[in-house]
Every structure is written in structure tokens, then in C-alpha cells.
Amino acid sequence: MQLPNELVDCVVENLYNDKATLLNCSLVGRAWVRGSQRGIFHHIVLKPPDADEAEYHLDVLYSLSDDYVKANGRLVESFDVNPCLATYVRSLHLQAFCNLSQDLDWKAVYTSTVSVIQRLSNVDSLSFSQFSWGTLSPLLKDALTEMFRPSVTRIMIDNFSIPKFTEYASLLNHTTHLKVLIVESMFCDDWTLPEGSDADSFDHTTPTPRSIQLHELETDNNAVLATWFQEESCPIQIQNLQSLRINHLDLDHSRKVAFMLQSAGGNLRELKMLVLQPIRADYDSDLLHLGYSLNLNTLVLAITPRADSNCVLWIQSLFKPFLNRDQTYKCPLRVLTLIVYLDSIDDLRQWDNWTAFDSLLVKPEFSLLEKVRIVITGKVGIPSGVKELLSEKLRFLERSGKLKCFTL
């Protein structure tokens, strides 16, 4: 029995993360070939060997380098024989362009990388990890710069270094259809903000301010990035943000985070804030709150409840604008997840404060809340009975069936 082509495509699309199976599917029959090829070439990773991987053995490094160049050569040959294959590449990840040994001539590595990149015209997702822009050859820089084109909708960087922030801003300026920006661990020698057309290094045109409308933003609390968003000349607009994730939130930068929340306003549906530091007693709770997020459905908070801080009071302050309003008004939150990170057993003394958290969520303003998930983790082993202790403090949530506790 021959399956309809539409059903074959559905099967293949669910196998994009299993290239071995896709290779087998491509041999089944003609109807399976194109869909399988789309999956096989949908996401490619370019990762040259580094000194750590070779454990500083020069002969191993030579061998790995030669393997990388040959693999790129085979990929280029496939693209040249069947140009459609290159158009199937929608996601490109570059990794480990940062720890290149000085013992080798990297011209062949860079040249082979450029040969692959130059054949990709349909990429909409770019990601970089363990990447040093300043050490690249001019030829590779030019090729990658051309990849930051209007067709790109998603950019992710992790452990990414670049000499100047203005260079990074220039790379983003031409991704006019960018929707998702993930910035985790970016390093610059010069964090000076771009000024007008100085941010543009591609040509002599200046991108229209606020022409890039982000829908999803994740950042490691980069204060410079948040400041740039406030500049009138910045091409990135965050008023349409639907998802915002702040990793390693420094509460000293609460004002900048508040600006992003206020800018997104009622468009924000998902918010994640990782506050992996103590909440100081002198923290100004009026700086950061959820009063602007009138359609927020999902909230994730990661906190460190140490004995010298009161995380519950901080959580309460986030919801303060929702209280004491017209009783017909409901907080839109449906799912609340708390990740409780314990540094020591002494942090358990904070459990006494959680009855106030329970009292907050019993209010009619939170009647739309469907689930409260609490994940307990940390450096220390989690003592037995912790979940039961927390459930005792959160009696309303426990009786309502909304509470789910986990330990990691």
C-alpha cells in the first residue's frame, strides 16, 4: 500500500532530529526522497577542531582539521551537484571558532567554511557558540556578515565575543525580519553604544529606527543591550514582545527590566526571570512589577531564598498592581513556576514565609490560575520531607489541586 504524499511529508517532518532514520527514509522510494533530504539538510553545524578537543597533540589536531576540511568539501560537492540541497538548509550553527591552535595554518579551515556558507541562500536561523568574531579571517567575516540578511528571523549567541558592541549592532541592523533574539554570555572589549549611522557597516544607508519587531527575547541581563533598546536610533522594537526571558537577573538593573516589561505591555504572554542572588532588604519593590503585563499567561521565577533575604515579599511585590482593583478584574496568569535554588540547609528557614505566598494566591484576583509548579534544587542534597513541608505551608494550593512540587 502506497501512502499519500501528504502523509509521507508529515512522517518525515517529525524525524528532523533523527538524521540516521531520515537517511533510511530517503531509500524507501521516490516519494520519500525530497522530504527526507529537507530534514537531513535542514540544520547543519560547522565546528572546526580546537586545541582542547585534540588534547594539545599536534598530530591529532592535524587529523581533525583535515577531516573537517574534507567533510566541508563533500558538502560543497553535494550542493554543486544538486543545488536544491543548499536551499533546504534553514538553520546554521557555528561552534568553537574561538580556541584555534596557533600551531596550524587555519587558511584551509576558514576557506572550506566560507565555501559552505557562500552556497546557503535560504537560512532563517543563525546560532553561534564558543565563538570569537575578532579572530576570524577577513574572508570568513565577510561571508558571515552577508548571512545577516533580511531573511533571518532567529539569532542565538552563547559565549560570543566581539571587539566592539557597535560591530554586533551592525550585524543585527540588516536582519529586518528578525523575530527571535537570544543573547547569552556576550563579551566585548568596547561596550560603547552606536550613534546613528555609525552602527551600520554594510553600506551607506541607515536602518529605520524600530524597524525590527522582536517577538521573543532572551538575554543574560545585559545592561548595555537593554540600554540600546531605549535609544531612538535603535532599529529593534520590543513593543511586540510575546516572550521575555531574563537570565541571571541583577536586581540593580531592575529599572532596565521594567522598561522592557512596560514596552511589551499587554503583548507579553510569557515571562521568565532567573534571580540567582539574594533579594536585599533595601530592594525597591516599586521598580519592577507585572502591572503592565495585562495578558501574561506563563511566569517562571528562579529564586535563591537565603536566610538574609525574603523572596516571598519580592514575589508579592510583582503582583501588587493586580490587587485592590475592581473585584471583577482578574490576574491573567494561568501557570506559575518557581525554581527554588538552595545554597545550604540554612535556606530552609525561609519556608516560614511561604504561608504569605499561599495567602496571596487565595485572593479572588488569582482565580484564573490553573497550576503552580515548584521545583526545589540546589548545591546541597535536598532533605527528605521538603516537599511535604512546603505543602504544609501552602495549604490552599495543596487543597485546590493546583500545587505540584518536584525536587532535582
Side-chain angles (χ1 to χ4, degrees):
M1 175 181 176
Q2 185 174 354
L3 294 176
N5 289 344
E6 294 81 2
L7 184 56
V8 170
D9 290 340
C10 290
V11 172
V12 171
E13 286 175 3
N14 283 280
L15 296 172
Y16 273 20
N17 293 324
D18 188 351
K19 291 195 175 184
T21 301
L22 286 172
L23 288 169
N24 290 329
C25 289
S26 66
L27 303 176
V28 172
R30 181 176 299 179
W32 293 75
V33 173
R34 178 165 295 186
S36 299
Q37 288 177 339
R38 288 183 183 277
I40 292 169
F41 291 96
H42 180 268
H43 174 73
I44 65 173
V45 178
L46 299 180
K47 181 181 181 297
D50 58 31
D52 290 339
E53 183 179 4
E55 296 181 349
Y56 299 97
H57 293 295
L58 194 56
D59 56 339
V60 175
L61 197 57
Y62 272 114
S63 178
L64 293 174
S65 175
D66 188 53
D67 291 343
Y68 174 80
V69 172
K70 289 180 178 178
N72 284 348
R74 291 191 295 269
L75 194 57
V76 168
E77 183 179 359
S78 297
F79 291 159
D80 290 344
V81 171
N82 187 356
C84 283
L85 298 181
T87 66
Y88 295 158
V89 180
R90 305 301 303 275
S91 175
L92 174 64
H93 179 66
L94 293 102
Q95 181 178 350
F97 284 81
C98 66
N99 192 26
L100 306 184
S101 171
Q102 300 301 314
D103 296 319
L104 292 179
D105 178 8
W106 286 96
K107 183 177 180 180
V109 170
Y110 285 139
T111 301
S112 69
T113 303
V114 170
S115 296
V116 174
I117 291 173
Q118 288 178 335
R119 285 162 171 79
L120 307 180
S121 60
N122 211 22
V123 171
D124 61 17
S125 177
L126 280 174
S127 57
F128 305 83
S129 61
Q130 298 172 283
F131 197 92
S132 176
W133 184 267
T135 62
L136 303 181
S137 68
L139 186 64
L140 183 52
K141 277 187 179 181
D142 289 343
L144 286 174
T145 297
E146 290 300 319
M147 294 299 294
F148 285 80
R149 53 173 71 102
S151 61
V152 171
T153 61
R154 184 181 188 275
I155 291 177
M156 185 278 286
I157 67 171
D158 181 20
N159 197 2
F160 181 96
S161 66
I162 191 167
K164 297 181 179 180
F165 181 77
T166 53
E167 293 182 75
Y168 177 69
S170 293
L171 293 173
L172 293 182
N173 276 341
H174 286 256
T175 56
T176 53
H177 291 87
L178 186 66
K179 300 301 180 187
V180 179
L181 178 61
I182 300 174
V183 182
E184 179 72 13
S185 300
M186 183 169 72
F187 308 96
C188 295
D189 295 326
D190 182 357
W191 287 98
T192 303
L193 291 174
E195 297 181 5
S197 61
D198 292 342
D200 188 78
S201 63
F202 290 84
D203 49 40
H204 298 293
T205 63
T206 302
T208 305
R210 306 290 186 252
S211 59
I212 302 173
Q213 300 185 18
L214 284 186
H215 289 172
E216 182 178 339
L217 173 64
E218 179 173 352
T219 175
D220 59 351
N221 194 52
N222 189 301
V224 175
L225 193 65
T227 302
W228 185 43
F229 292 155
Q230 299 181 56
E231 296 293 315
E232 292 184 3
S233 61
C234 179
I236 294 180
Q237 178 187 138
I238 60 174
Q239 275 74 10
N240 293 317
L241 275 183
Q242 298 172 13
S243 175
L244 174 62
R245 295 187 292 275
I246 309 287
N247 302 322
H248 314 298
L249 174 61
D250 183 349
L251 292 177
D252 290 335
H253 297 152
S254 292
R255 196 175 301 277
K256 292 182 173 60
V257 177
F259 162 77
M260 290 192 284
L261 291 177
Q262 184 175 3
S263 298
N267 290 313
L268 197 64
R269 299 294 190 274
E270 178 188 36
L271 175 63
K272 181 178 181 180
M273 294 192 291
L274 308 185
V275 189
L276 299 180
Q277 67 175 39
I279 312 298
R280 299 189 311 272
D282 61 348
Y283 170 72
D284 186 354
S285 61
D286 292 331
L287 281 179
L288 183 61
H289 57 77
L290 303 178
Y292 306 108
S293 307
L294 301 180
N295 293 296
L296 186 67
N297 291 324
T298 304
L299 176 64
V300 180
L301 300 174
I303 55 178
T304 306
R306 297 177 185 171
D308 58 350
S309 64
N310 194 329
C311 292
V312 174
L313 287 178
W314 178 72
I315 295 173
Q316 288 177 308
S317 71
L318 294 177
F319 294 106
K320 185 177 179 180
F322 292 113
L323 304 176
N324 302 321
R325 292 188 177 185
D326 184 340
Q327 290 299 309
T328 61
Y329 181 82
K330 306 295 182 183
C331 175
L333 196 63
R334 304 280 182 167
V335 179
L336 171 61
T337 300
L338 300 180
I339 303 173
V340 182
Y341 189 88
L342 301 180
D343 271 349
S344 69
I345 298 299
D346 290 339
D347 294 337
L348 294 177
R349 284 182 286 176
Q350 275 284 320
W351 294 144
D352 291 339
N353 297 316
W354 287 91
T355 53
F357 177 70
D358 194 52
S359 299
L360 172 69
L361 298 184
V362 74
K363 295 180 180 294
E365 289 88 342
F366 296 93
S367 60
L368 297 178
L369 189 62
E370 299 171 357
K371 186 183 301 183
V372 178
R373 295 184 295 208
I374 300 182
V375 181
I376 305 169
T377 184
K379 296 179 180 179
V380 298
I382 307 301
S384 61
V386 167
K387 291 194 298 183
E388 291 74 13
L389 174 62
L390 190 55
S391 296
E392 178 65 22
K393 300 296 182 182
L394 304 175
R395 292 183 178 179
F396 164 73
L397 290 175
E398 177 69 21
R399 289 197 303 267
S400 68
K402 299 178 180 181
L403 181 65
K404 302 294 180 183
C405 290
F406 308 91
T407 57
L408 295 178

